[in-house]
Amino acid sequence: MEQSRALNEALKLLTGLDNDSTKRANIVEYVKEKGTIAVFAYGSLIWNPCEHVEHIIPNCLLNGYTKGFICQDFIYRGTKDFKGLTMGLKPCEKSFVKGYLLMASANKLIPFIEAFIKRETPISVDGTKMDIYTYDFLPVIMPGGKTIEWALTCVANSNSQFYLPMTLSIKQQAEIMSRAYGINGTNFQYLHNTLHTYRHLSLIDTFTVDMEELYATVLIYRQYLTKYERQWLESFEKLTTRDERELAIKLQRTNNVRMRKQNLFARICSIEPVVFPKYNRMVSV
């Protein structure tokens, strides 16, 4: 009873489940019966799972949804000054998504949920919540196609200010992802790691072709960055800790401000003074 109450309280922290007591009750009952809880992973969670995962099941299938880079990221793979793009799901009747199931047993239930929330709904230093996801409990088809496991799933939050209602073109996405970076690394690294995992495990869904094209286009865009920007991003990608990346971002922001001031000063100094014609003062009579 105590565990069920604790799970219900934890689920209240998830947007979409916070005001749906019926769905929370169904989840609690399902978990009580199964003795486990699952999260459907399709983005960075497949190559960098959250804490307290006890079992991973690859090659699972979610029908009726498609994924895409439809959420703006200003913490992990972007900043407030230049937002990156991160993956989200949206309903699409004839589409399907391949991914993992991340499982935790009853004794790890609450830490697992808390780690999942902290990971997928981060809060910036100024208190802004990156509410790019709403959470649902969806039926996921297990490998082999004969059984179903219900799982907590991140769906793009269409009410969030960071949701992109209009899908950007491949070129528009590539332009952003070739340059964006955040405390977890560059936006390109996010794309690279996700696609690499899908390739390695032969996970093919209705977004695979678009993701392959996007990756190829980002590689082209990175070649056309300025030498300074390209070298900075390459150096940034070699950093191994969040503290190092946060410091690098802070220094880069300071450097950008200084460069803007220098450019402004240079423009001001380059403006030639306006010479007004001299007129003889009229003498009143």
Side-chain angles (χ1 to χ4, degrees):
M1 180 65 71
E2 185 62 34
Q3 188 179 66
S4 295
R5 188 180 297 111
L7 175 57
N8 182 61
E9 290 301 313
L11 293 173
K12 287 181 181 179
L13 300 175
L14 293 169
T15 303
L17 298 178
D18 51 350
N19 56 4
D20 193 334
S21 58
T22 301
K23 186 169 288 187
R24 290 200 311 272
N26 291 337
I27 296 172
V28 170
E29 188 61 31
Y30 182 84
V31 171
K32 183 179 179 181
E33 181 181 332
K34 295 279 294 187
T36 59
I37 191 166
V39 164
F40 180 65
Y42 57 87
S44 61
L45 283 172
I46 66 173
W47 48 267
N48 185 25
C50 57
E51 295 179 304
H52 306 293
V53 174
E54 296 181 296
H55 187 46
I56 297 176
I57 304 174
N59 201 27
C60 297
L61 174 70
L62 176 65
N63 272 321
Y65 285 83
T66 187
K67 64 177 183 280
F69 292 98
I70 54 178
C71 303
Q72 293 180 311
D73 183 341
F74 59 89
I75 297 178
Y76 289 150
R77 303 289 170 172
T79 64
K80 285 287 186 68
D81 298 326
F82 193 89
K83 298 179 182 67
L85 297 176
T86 193
M87 201 174 282
L89 298 183
K90 61 181 179 180
C92 188
E93 186 177 351
K94 296 182 179 180
S95 296
F96 63 93
V97 177
K98 284 290 190 74
Y100 283 9
L101 278 186
L102 309 180
M103 311 285 296
S105 59
N107 62 326
K108 291 287 186 73
L109 205 60
I110 304 306
F112 175 71
I113 294 292
E114 290 176 345
F116 176 56
I117 294 170
K118 183 179 179 181
R119 167 71 174 274
E120 299 304 318
T121 311
I123 299 175
S124 66
V125 291
D126 65 359
T128 304
K129 180 186 290 187
M130 197 165 76
D131 60 343
I132 57 176
Y133 297 126
T134 184
Y135 298 85
D136 208 342
F137 199 55
L138 301 175
V140 177
I141 301 174
M142 301 286 277
K146 295 182 179 180
T147 57
I148 288 177
E149 179 75 34
W150 287 75
L152 290 170
T153 306
C154 299
V155 179
N157 181 8
S158 59
N159 293 319
S160 171
Q161 62 176 314
F162 307 111
Y163 173 72
L164 296 173
M166 298 295 291
T167 303
L168 301 177
S169 69
I170 293 293
K171 289 183 178 180
Q172 288 173 320
Q173 293 177 61
E175 185 175 4
I176 293 170
M177 299 185 80
S178 64
R179 299 175 57 208
Y181 54 85
I183 61 174
N184 278 6
T186 64
N187 214 172
F188 173 69
Q189 286 176 307
Y190 174 92
L191 174 62
H192 173 84
N193 292 340
T194 303
L195 181 58
H196 174 76
T197 305
Y198 271 79
R199 285 173 173 174
H200 180 68
L201 297 173
S202 299
L203 298 177
I204 299 174
D205 57 26
T206 46
F207 187 64
T208 300
V209 173
D210 286 346
M211 189 155 57
E212 290 280 2
E213 183 182 353
L214 175 59
Y215 184 79
T217 308
V218 171
L219 289 177
I220 294 172
Y221 269 77
R222 278 171 68 99
Q223 294 176 8
Y224 287 93
L225 296 174
T226 65
K227 182 179 179 181
Y228 169 79
E229 192 171 17
R230 187 169 60 252
Q231 289 178 342
W232 190 90
L233 288 170
E234 289 172 353
S235 298
F236 186 76
E237 288 173 346
K238 294 176 182 177
L239 301 178
T240 57
T241 68
R242 178 174 291 190
D243 287 343
E244 289 175 333
R245 289 188 287 268
E246 286 180 339
L247 178 59
I249 291 170
K250 183 178 180 180
L251 292 174
Q252 177 71 345
R253 186 179 295 117
T254 302
N255 185 53
N256 287 341
V257 171
R258 184 169 62 249
M259 289 179 65
R260 283 197 293 268
K261 288 182 178 179
Q262 290 175 346
N263 291 338
L264 177 61
F265 181 74
R267 287 199 301 271
I268 292 173
C269 292
S270 66
I271 298 174
E272 295 183 3
V274 178
V275 178
F276 293 96
K278 293 183 178 180
Y279 296 97
N280 292 326
R281 185 173 180 270
M282 294 182 65
V283 180
S284 59
V285 294

